[in-house]
Amino acid sequence: MDTERHSPLRHTVAILSRGDAAARRDATAQNSRFVRVFEALAVVGIDARPVIYDEIFADAVRDQLLAVDGVLVWVDPIHQGKTREALDPLLREVAAQGPWVSAHPDVILKMGVKDVLYRTRHLGWGADTHRYDTAASFRDEFPARLQAKGPRVLKQNRGNGGQGVWKVEALPNADGMVRVLHAQRGSLPEDMPLDAFLARCEPYFGWGGCVIDQAFQPRLPDGMIRCYMSGAKVAGFGHQLIKALIPPPPEGPDAPEAQPGPRIMHGPDASQFQALRRSMEDQWTPQLMDTLGIDEPSLPAIWDADFLYGPRDAAGTDTYVLCEINASSCFAIPDDAPAAIARTVKHRLLRTQAVRSGA
């Protein structure tokens, strides 16, 4: 038995991210983009080490992860054409042998995919949301919904960086034609036959499994609020004016590309977000756990819920519409978040140790 790993006095954690052989060779806590997380873990008495993952050296990574008490994972669902198809089984194997893994792949499949928008549409953050499980149902149902309900936003189940997220609207006086805009940076509106667009989306029913369809939110230009969570508690907020799914102004092909505004970070006590904080901590996160069958110790050490402004209510108060939950690779994070992560990690490792010892 590895006595250091099971020591009651000192825990070890791996911070796992994707990279190539050079990044793996040169990785240190000091040159890592997660340096503040390393520092916060050290403050609470946890030794953390960087581990770089790629499929070509997966066996060596497995050995490293089995030698620690816990693993914090920051790996996107899709990165330069690579997915987590091989990583997720590796992490399940590691977790089954003892180390605590956050976020566990099974938890990500419940809450860190677009399907969560459909499964939790009855909560206070919900909107007009539908799910297509097959390309055939998508072809059968989406055209009528688009005509009846106006602009829609389609989202592949697993993705990041705007990949597989589209705004779709029917073109007036042009039967069977739509205008589509991809959420990836640099995308421009495209006019095309609806049938051709439906065919373009068929690959999303592969690894991702389904396509989610939400009503377009007219207040999108007011920006997105990212609510950062550590476990079941708010760790901060970020507000950003975004460019995704907003058509560029007609300034000609040589105009510089419009850029999204900076994300302004705030601590958990920021006054303008306290109504959202109360909803997240007191209502929506407990309801999320109940709906998805997730207990509090299984919630990721860091995750975020992205909100758009919904229509104001009768009193003129803002409402919020959930547009995504990020649980695979939530970064950058507010200044308060590393300490919150460290507290959550320490609590989870102590709990895991107590369960192992039968306490």
Side-chain angles (χ1 to χ4, degrees):
M1 178 179 293
D2 184 339
T3 56
E4 179 185 356
R5 190 178 103 179
H6 296 284
S7 166
L9 302 178
R10 197 81 179 178
H11 289 108
T12 57
V13 167
I15 293 184
L16 182 70
S17 58
R18 183 179 279 282
D20 58 17
R24 178 174 171 82
R25 182 190 64 237
D26 299 334
T28 68
Q30 290 70 35
N31 66 19
S32 169
R33 63 184 177 132
F34 308 109
V35 59
R36 291 188 297 125
V37 179
F38 281 102
E39 292 170 348
L41 290 168
V43 168
V44 299
I46 296 173
D47 294 327
R49 58 191 67 163
V51 176
I52 304 300
Y53 168 81
D54 190 83
E55 288 77 3
I56 62 174
F57 39 77
D59 289 343
V61 170
R62 179 188 294 104
D63 292 342
Q64 287 180 284
L65 301 187
L66 288 171
V68 298
D69 297 292
V71 185
L72 290 171
V73 185
W74 269 279
V75 178
D76 283 323
I78 302 174
H79 177 78
Q80 297 179 356
K82 296 182 177 182
T83 71
R84 292 178 50 131
E85 189 171 6
L87 174 62
D88 286 347
L90 184 155
L91 292 174
R92 290 188 181 97
E93 177 188 344
V94 168
Q97 295 193 46
W100 166 75
V101 174
S102 182
H104 192 286
D106 294 343
V107 174
I108 293 174
L109 286 177
K110 290 182 177 182
M111 64 181 291
V113 292
K114 305 302 189 298
D115 187 43
V116 73
L117 303 174
Y118 179 78
R119 296 187 64 187
T120 65
R121 66 195 185 282
H122 61 286
L123 305 188
W125 63 30
D128 173 17
T129 305
H130 302 268
R131 181 178 66 203
Y132 309 104
D133 293 317
T134 66
S137 66
F138 183 46
R139 284 185 171 275
D140 289 344
E141 300 170 25
F142 178 69
R145 186 163 288 126
L146 177 66
Q147 287 293 335
K149 296 193 173 185
R152 311 293 296 178
V153 176
L154 298 176
K155 303 176 180 183
Q156 69 171 330
N157 195 35
R158 299 197 74 175
N160 50 277
Q163 299 176 85
V165 177
W166 298 85
K167 179 187 177 185
V168 187
E169 53 189 327
L171 287 175
N173 305 317
D175 189 37
M177 295 291 292
V178 292
R179 178 163 293 162
V180 301
L181 178 59
H182 200 194
Q184 275 194 293
R185 183 173 294 184
S187 299
L188 296 173
E190 249 185 291
D191 294 347
M192 62 191 306
L194 176 56
D195 283 347
F197 176 71
L198 297 177
R200 181 182 290 184
C201 294
E202 285 190 10
Y204 300 153
F205 294 96
W207 182 62
C210 67
V211 167
I212 301 301
D213 170 6
Q214 284 189 303
F216 177 77
Q217 297 300 317
R219 294 185 65 190
L220 179 63
D222 292 342
M224 181 184 75
I225 301 168
R226 178 162 285 182
C227 180
Y228 295 88
M229 304 289 294
S230 185
K233 296 297 182 182
V234 171
F237 298 92
H239 182 258
Q240 183 178 26
L241 297 178
I242 57 178
K243 175 180 176 285
L245 304 185
I246 299 175
E251 296 178 349
D254 298 326
E257 179 186 344
Q259 298 294 322
R263 182 177 296 130
I264 307 302
M265 297 295 194
H266 303 268
D269 297 324
S271 59
Q272 65 269 44
F273 301 122
Q274 290 310 293
L276 179 56
R277 179 181 183 177
R278 288 192 296 272
S279 293
M280 278 296 291
E281 292 186 343
D282 299 342
Q283 301 174 43
W284 296 342
T285 299
Q287 292 167 353
L288 170 77
M289 291 189 291
D290 184 62
T291 299
L292 302 183
I294 299 173
D295 60 10
E296 192 278 335
S298 299
L299 287 174
I302 185 67
W303 58 284
D304 71 65
D306 290 350
F307 293 96
L308 300 178
Y309 288 104
R312 293 184 175 91
D313 63 20
T317 303
D318 285 323
T319 62
Y320 302 95
V321 174
L322 182 70
C323 63
E324 185 173 44
I325 287 178
N326 298 297
S328 302
S329 186
C330 180
F331 202 82
I333 54 179
D335 289 344
D336 297 76
I341 292 171
R343 290 192 297 269
T344 298
V345 171
K346 184 172 184 177
H347 176 75
R348 299 282 174 80
L349 292 178
L350 289 172
R351 179 183 181 277
T352 300
Q353 183 177 325
V355 169
R356 283 186 188 141
S357 66

